[in-house]
Amino acid sequence: RISRDGVPPTSQMQLQFARSLGKSGSRDVVLELLHEGDVTSTLADSLWKEFSKVAVSSAATGEEWNTKFSEQGQFDMTFGTMDIFFGGLEGLIGSPSVHVLAAMRAEHSDAPDSTIKWTTGNYGVETTARTEWCFVYSPEEGPEQVGLTSWPTETKNADEHKRRKPRDRSALNHILADLNRKLKDLNQVELDVTELLGAVLYTGPMFEKYNTVNRGGALNTEQPEF
């Protein structure tokens, strides 16, 4: 990725190099370049990190290990019309509200599908959008606020001590402050609480709903009905 003089090559330079190598190079030249770039050592480092993760994983099969963000046949890409292309997200889900937090609460708690249950494919969590909103936004009020005696939790692919636990507002504020401190040191725009809430929601069961819309679920009738 770095040339001999320390200057990163452009994409055009990389393309020209690949073409030149294909025309006048050889397998031995490629092998020499790999040795020179210490590719084997770098690859070994990456593989070792993954092997270390597998060693402590509770997954019983390779399929279980590979189901964090992928599910067989769960999401199918779909093509739309030019009207849909130029309409963008607003054409599918409407214009965003300037009152972000209130809109997030309404979309998760008061929408037609807010109380429809579904079970995630990766960890077997049976939940609803309203439950997930309360789990993230107001866990202090307990699962009773959505008519439950306990919060939905993983039923597979997770040891008991690794199962998710709600974070109260003080914990979220601490995480937000820590992230913003790091962003500020990098001269980057800081996050607000709605962005943090969205990120936390996405790392839980809601990622299935979000991805279904983003990957064409609003158009493809073969997508899961949430």
Side-chain angles (χ1 to χ4, degrees), residues 7-216:
V7 179
T10 64
S11 59
Q12 186 63 30
M13 292 170 60
Q14 292 173 337
L15 179 59
Q16 291 175 351
F17 174 78
R19 284 174 173 167
S20 176
L21 187 61
K23 290 179 180 179
S24 57
S26 66
R27 179 184 179 279
D28 289 338
V29 172
V30 174
L31 187 61
E32 182 180 350
L33 289 171
L34 291 175
H35 284 310
E36 183 180 317
D38 199 21
V39 174
T40 303
S41 177
T42 302
L43 180 60
D45 289 340
S46 297
L47 289 174
W48 175 245
K49 290 180 182 179
E50 296 305 315
F51 291 152
S52 298
K53 294 178 184 178
V54 173
V56 296
S57 169
S58 61
T61 66
E63 290 182 354
E64 290 183 6
W65 173 249
N66 195 37
T67 55
K68 170 59 180 174
F69 291 109
S70 63
E71 298 172 41
Q72 285 250 318
Q74 187 72 10
F75 301 112
D76 297 320
M77 298 295 287
T78 182
F79 290 99
T81 64
M82 292 301 292
D83 288 341
I84 292 171
F85 174 79
F86 287 110
L89 274 178
E90 288 192 26
L92 289 173
I93 60 178
S95 300
S97 171
V98 295
H99 306 291
V100 181
L101 184 59
M104 290 177 67
R105 183 189 295 111
E107 289 179 357
H108 288 82
S109 300
D110 302 325
D113 65 337
S114 292
T115 58
I116 296 177
K117 292 182 179 180
W118 90 96
T119 302
T120 61
N122 54 358
Y123 292 118
V125 180
E126 184 183 69
T127 188
T128 69
R130 180 179 293 174
T131 298
E132 290 307 302
W133 173 258
C134 293
F135 179 83
V136 173
Y137 181 73
S138 56
E140 299 90 347
E141 298 180 25
E144 293 78 14
Q145 62 188 304
V146 288
L148 300 175
T149 57
S150 60
W151 292 112
T153 189
E154 297 87 343
T155 59
K156 63 179 183 179
N157 299 338
D159 294 333
E160 185 173 355
H161 68 282
K162 293 184 178 180
R163 292 174 185 171
R164 66 179 192 157
K165 298 176 179 61
R167 297 185 179 95
D168 60 24
R169 181 52 58 87
S170 63
L172 287 179
N173 288 340
H174 177 76
I175 293 172
L176 184 61
D178 183 58
L179 289 173
N180 282 337
R181 186 163 47 251
K182 294 176 181 177
L183 288 170
K184 187 175 182 179
D185 290 341
L186 296 171
N187 295 319
Q188 299 297 315
V189 178
E190 296 181 22
L191 300 173
D192 65 25
V193 67
T194 59
E195 292 171 309
L196 179 64
L197 289 172
V200 175
L201 283 162
Y202 183 79
T203 61
M206 288 303 301
F207 88 91
E208 288 195 343
K209 280 203 169 192
Y210 300 157
N211 284 349
T212 296
V213 174
N214 291 333
R215 297 175 181 180

